[in-house]
Amino acid sequence: MKQDWLNYIDGAWCAGGAGQVDIVSPGTGEVIARHALADEADVDRAVQAARRVHQSGVLTDLRPVERGRMVQAMGRYLLDHKEDIAPVLSREQGKTLWEARREIDGAARYFEYYGNQAETVEGRSIPLGAGYFDFTQYEPYGVSAQIIPWNFPVEIAARSISAALATGNACVVKTPELTPCSSWIFADAAEAAGLPAGAVNILCGWGHQAGAALSAHPDVNQVVFTGSVGTGVAVAAAAARNVVPCVLELGGKSAAIVHDDADLDAFEADIRMGIYFNAGQVCSAMSRVLVHESRHDEVVERAVKVAKSLDVGPGIERGEMGLSMGSMVSEAQRDRAAGMVSQAEAEGARVATGGRAMNIPGAFLEPTVMVNVAPDMTIAQQEVFGPVPSVMPFRDEAQAIEIANGTQYGLVAGVFTRDLDRASRAAQKLRAGQVFVNQWFAGGVETPFGGYGKSGYGREKGREALWNYVQTKNVAIRVG
Ligand code: NAD
């Protein structure tokens, strides 16, 4: 692994005004690299570079299909370099190598999808009677600022960069200070695709410094933030002072409702991916499992079996897709999750399996299952952001929906049943931006994703996301 990593501003690699940050591999606890940290002046240089690109018209004047081709080329570049990126991502983030490879595939898919969509952003004509010709067109905002979290740094950056470029914006991306190294690939990909210098700027910096400077910068025209609720509020407030729109993708405490007629054999795969994928550090994780009381014990037994089946250890050593789990992103995140488990025990919950930091170097938490959890306990209300599902029984459909909807969040929800009427009723009543029926994480890049309540606003993924990156202009022409 390369030792020193730089920021990429206006087409050039550069050191940061705020020094460097040590990158610790959470799979071993060792420092593996250092990354440049941007200060306010670096952020300003990046924003000005993006602004120049926008104002030059070099992106906006292109026929959209040509922009789309460049966006698609970036995705192909990622795939061609998957074996360079995945080990870096696995080492800095802790995820297994197979999860890292999967993340690169997911990132590339965004470039493929939004590259395809570039030429579909069409306006409409509005009839105003004789003597007028009126139409709308969609124009990019200009400088799109994107603040990225550490759980899927490559995939989440790809999601925003691809949609922003496809619609003709220039980007300034603030990468997460725990996992910044793997984002170098976006600079190389942009160059290889023929994008002009300044169209894609990638910089790491402290949230309170570079992140705050970026979200408050007066020449930023649109902000996309993915991360925690508290930071999202700060970012949105800073953007509001410049009257700049924001997309907020925040956390979740998403519930799967498992009815008495659910296919529990199939549900084991949903538990495995729903809460242990990426060591549970997924905003749309299945962190609550609400199960009909008649099948509660059986679901707990199956969840414990899944948790115990996982081979946990350094992610970089786990390249074969399967029953393995890497570390959490840092010891601090691991200790926070373990602390939430202990607090829940003190409140009367019980650990059915796991729950403890593992006695090996690195940020490992045992795959966990919590039972005897009451819906109002902290562990059932707040994100653990770790491999820790809370299993809770329900009596009837109404109670299941009430518990599912009973948090401040509303990112995703799931219902597992063979009864389509029951599933349809749940889909209507669940307060969440996305409802999965009979498969957790069903959907894809094509399907809109985003939150109700404190899970945020605006949508990423799907065609919906495009409208966050453009503004509507109406042109009314008086004719003859
Ligand atoms: P975080 O909010 O601490 O950090 C996210 C990003 O914001 C980082 O790049 C950080 O440097 C930056 N930041 C921190 N303070 C800032 C400030 N004052 N101004 C501007 N930027 C600032 O979150 P995290 O710890 O990186 O990620 C975990 C959280 O993110 C969890 O709550 C998780 O649910 C959520 N998340 C949501 C999604 C989603 O798509 N909805 C995806 C991933 C993570």
Side-chain angles (χ1 to χ4, degrees), residues 397 415 417 419-430 437:
E397 216 173 298
V415 56
T417 175
D419 180 340
L420 187 57
D421 290 346
R422 187 143 70 174
S424 306
R425 281 194 298 274
Q428 299 310 313
K429 289 186 179 155
L430 285 164
V437 177

Side-chain angles (χ1 to χ4, degrees), residues 77-287:
Y77 190 90
L78 261 61
L79 290 179
D80 289 346
H81 294 82
K82 183 162 45 173
E83 292 310 315
D84 301 329
I85 318 163
V88 175
L89 176 58
S90 170
R91 283 204 166 87
E92 68 178 346
Q93 207 280 340
K95 65 183 69 199
T96 59
L97 190 54
W98 68 265
E99 287 170 326
R101 290 191 180 117
R102 212 173 138 134
E103 180 167 342
I104 314 305
D105 289 340
R109 177 78 183 101
Y110 281 109
F111 287 99
E112 180 184 39
Y113 179 76
Y114 284 115
N116 259 323
Q117 299 294 324
E119 56 185 324
T120 70
V121 184
E122 298 170 343
R124 63 194 171 109
S125 82
I126 298 172
L128 290 179
Y132 292 95
F133 171 44
D134 187 285
F135 62 92
T136 61
Q137 63 188 45
Y138 294 106
E139 297 183 352
Y141 279 104
V143 178
S144 171
Q146 303 165 4
I147 300 175
I148 310 297
W150 45 255
N151 58 343
F152 292 97
V154 176
E155 207 166 344
I156 291 175
R159 178 167 95 182
S160 300
I161 295 172
S162 58
L165 290 175
T167 45
N169 297 276
C171 309
V172 180
V173 183
K174 210 295 279 174
T175 59
E177 44 282 57
L178 287 174
T179 61
C181 299
S182 45
S183 297
W184 105 87
I185 198 66
F186 296 115
D188 284 5
E191 281 186 11
L195 282 155
V200 178
N201 302 277
I202 309 283
L203 45 89
C204 179
W206 299 120
H208 61 81
Q209 186 175 23
L214 184 58
S215 50
H217 198 292
D219 291 321
V220 161
N221 307 114
Q222 181 251 13
V223 178
V224 185
F225 172 79
T226 304
S228 59
V229 176
T231 308
V233 170
V235 167
R241 280 192 276 278
N242 292 324
V243 197
V244 158
C246 241
V247 179
L248 296 183
E249 294 283 6
L250 310 176
K253 192 72 201 178
S254 303
I257 298 175
V258 185
H259 284 288
D260 52 4
D261 62 346
D263 176 352
L264 293 190
D265 288 336
F267 186 64
E268 282 186 19
D270 296 288
I271 298 175
R272 192 263 167 276
M273 292 309 279
I275 190 66
Y276 302 116
F277 183 67
N278 212 37
Q281 302 161 116
V282 182
C283 47
S284 49
M286 188 204 281
S287 53

Side-chain angles (χ1 to χ4, degrees), residues 36-57:
L37 284 172
D39 65 3
E40 292 84 349
D42 295 322
V43 169
D44 182 57
R45 282 197 303 122
V47 171
Q48 297 312 333
R51 187 161 178 251
R52 277 195 298 278
V53 166
H54 179 63
Q55 290 186 336
S56 74

